[in-house]
Amino acid sequence: MKTNETYVGSIDQGTTGTRFMVFDHAGTVVANAYEKHEQIYPEPGWVEHDPLEIWENTQSVIESALAEAGIEADQLAALGVTNQRETTLLWDAETGKPVHNAIVWQDRRTTDRIERLEEDGKADAVRAKTGLQPDAYFAATKAEWLLDNAEPIKTQRARPADLRDRAETGEILFGTIDSWLIYNLTGEHITDVTNASRTMLFDIHEMDWDDGLCEEFRVPREMLPEVRPSSDDETYGSTDSDGFLGAEVPVAGAFGDQQAALFGQTCFDAGDAKNTYGTGSFFLLNTGNEAVESEHGLLTTIGFQRSGEPVQYALEGSIFVTGAAIEWLVDMDLIEDAAKTENLARSVDSTDGVYMVPAFTGLGAPHWNQRARGTLVGMTRGTRKEHVVRATLEAIAYQTRDVAEAMEADSGIEVESLRVDGGAVKNNFLCQLQADILGTDIVRPVVDETTALGSAYAAGLAVGYWETVDELRNNWQVDREFEVNMASDEADEKYSRWQDAVERSLDWASEGGA
């Protein structure tokens, strides 16, 4: 394919906003636009998004980026999609209208449902099929809640049909955000293997929706999307030449955001690892064609699949709150913006014994404690905001070590260098701290928007814009490497105190409480 005047576009639909990026053959960003969307909090512990706002913003950022760069839509060889994972919505197949706001991955409204599942002794069976630790985080209980609680859709019929009845005939469709965007772009009801693997309805060994899981969570199979490879030579469909783009552009790649970052960081081989620092942090280790079962609180998940190739699996540590803890500092008026944290943290020699556990929505890997809550310990009358800011950055590094130690125990693979990406890695203090606490070199690439890059790579490979993954490896460049400076004894002592702080945060939210 001629590549000097053509590009690949990537829709990166995240938790707080939507970005559209255009890449050239060298993997260089040539266009970029971003818009935030509203975070809706109907009740404590509940988080929702408006799917129509997300779709409107998606169209807007695509049009803005192309216009600003002077690129025509027909110069796009393909589109890729990457998305906030697990966020769940249902929509009417006929009208395309959502039946309710999307329930966001952070939402905890189905915690009680998961606890019942565990009390019934079903957690191990779910884990064996899906690789997932049952949690309100995943899509299955969100879909179940929507089917039980969303308002029945008023139709042209004599009486409004029950939502669940309509779901069983495929008139109501289930999807994560990738499916919603692909549906609006192409009219096709499709998801990729990585997003399917995060629903708690998909058997990652059989590579298919599981009837037993669908029955357990009462999610009719008829409403589920078709599952395709992450990079699909057959493509998922194309945009409509009469639509907002005014061109037929194939949509050929999709990834959950963390798997997209794994791909964008060119972690194509077993033993390659990356950590993405976003709203939460997500540490993935490629385990090759083997699905490694975790005994230390990690998730076994699908890393990626290319057309005609076996699935690559990964171990994942999902940390719910890292960048969101920095946002909390802003919300509390402790800092003006996230960029201030580096200088504030450097202005003090230590946290002065203060530890922050940002368990605002419970703790994910490796603790999986849904009722843990945010905890600040060790304060004295001399504690200043600088100490709290530094403790918050340290918490990000400690949570990553929690996951790294579990990963090594499960896989037997010691991560010798960790590729990092996401907004927080612009903070050099955090990157150095991470190297010191982890005892591992931290490698930051030139292009840190690796989620968008990963889905662009998947789409471009599918249509032949890039021929081989070696071309992608050659594109990857190091911006900076952070080597370990701290003595291991000092790091271990700090980490031990962190573990004490975590113990104090566990099970804080009482039954029925926030």
Side-chain angles (χ1 to χ4, degrees), residues 140-311:
T141 59
K142 301 181 196 300
E144 182 182 41
W145 188 95
L146 286 168
L147 287 167
D148 286 342
N149 294 282
E151 287 294 311
I153 299 170
K154 303 294 189 247
T155 66
Q156 301 303 314
R157 302 172 187 153
R159 62 175 182 81
D162 177 76
L163 201 59
R164 199 173 278 286
D165 289 344
R166 297 195 66 210
E168 286 171 1
T169 62
E171 294 175 58
I172 299 297
L173 304 180
F174 158 92
T176 41
I177 296 292
D178 60 309
S179 294
W180 170 243
L181 294 179
I182 291 167
Y183 183 84
N184 280 286
L185 288 164
T186 68
E188 302 294 334
H189 187 213
I190 283 170
T191 191
D192 92 295
V193 291
T194 67
N195 279 294
S197 77
R198 312 296 293 192
T199 59
M200 220 157 60
L201 299 169
F202 189 77
D203 188 321
I204 63 170
H205 310 286
E206 297 296 327
M207 294 300 293
D208 199 4
W209 300 117
D210 184 82
D211 289 334
L213 293 170
C214 289
E215 187 177 332
E216 170 63 39
F217 296 108
R218 299 183 306 124
V219 176
R221 189 163 175 154
E222 292 78 6
M223 71 187 308
L224 300 177
E226 180 186 353
V227 183
R228 297 277 200 87
S230 321
S231 175
D232 192 353
D233 295 354
E234 294 182 13
T235 82
Y236 309 141
S238 295
T239 59
D240 190 336
S241 57
D242 295 328
F244 78 100
L245 267 180
E248 286 189 26
V249 182
V251 182
F255 274 121
D257 53 9
Q258 303 313 317
Q259 286 94 337
L262 189 75
F263 208 76
Q265 288 273 35
T266 67
C267 293
F268 302 136
D269 300 320
D272 291 345
K274 71 89 200 176
N275 195 22
T276 298
Y277 299 78
T279 304
S281 282
F282 299 88
F283 191 142
L284 270 72
L285 171 71
N286 185 329
T287 61
N289 303 139
E290 182 189 0
V292 175
E293 193 170 329
S294 176
E295 296 178 1
H296 297 86
L298 301 177
L299 307 177
T300 305
T301 197
I302 292 173
F304 56 87
Q305 184 184 28
R306 294 184 59 200
S307 291
E309 293 189 6
V311 172

Side-chain angles (χ1 to χ4, degrees), residues 448-461:
D448 62 2
E449 292 290 351
T450 52
T451 51
L453 183 61
S455 72
Y457 279 167
L461 282 167

Side-chain angles (χ1 to χ4, degrees), residues 38 41 63-64 99 121 210 416 476 485 496 504:
E38 185 184 359
Y41 304 104
E63 290 170 336
S64 298
V99 306
D210 184 82
E416 292 177 2
W476 191 84
N485 280 340
S496 176
R504 286 157 172 76

Side-chain angles (χ1 to χ4, degrees), residues 68-122:
E68 195 170 318
I71 295 170
E72 299 293 330
D74 61 9
Q75 288 178 267
L76 295 175
L79 285 172
V81 174
T82 180
N83 56 289
Q84 50 166 321
R85 299 175 306 174
E86 297 94 17
T87 296
T88 301
L89 71 152
L90 310 183
W91 68 93
D92 186 313
E94 189 178 340
T95 66
K97 296 282 174 63
V99 306
H100 189 276
N101 282 336
I103 301 181
V104 180
W105 60 272
Q106 299 155 309
D107 189 282
R108 309 309 294 169
R109 75 186 66 182
T110 58
T111 295
D112 291 348
R113 172 69 174 96
I114 293 296
E115 288 174 343
R116 287 200 308 277
L117 185 85
E118 289 169 344
E119 286 163 10
D120 292 344
K122 296 177 179 176

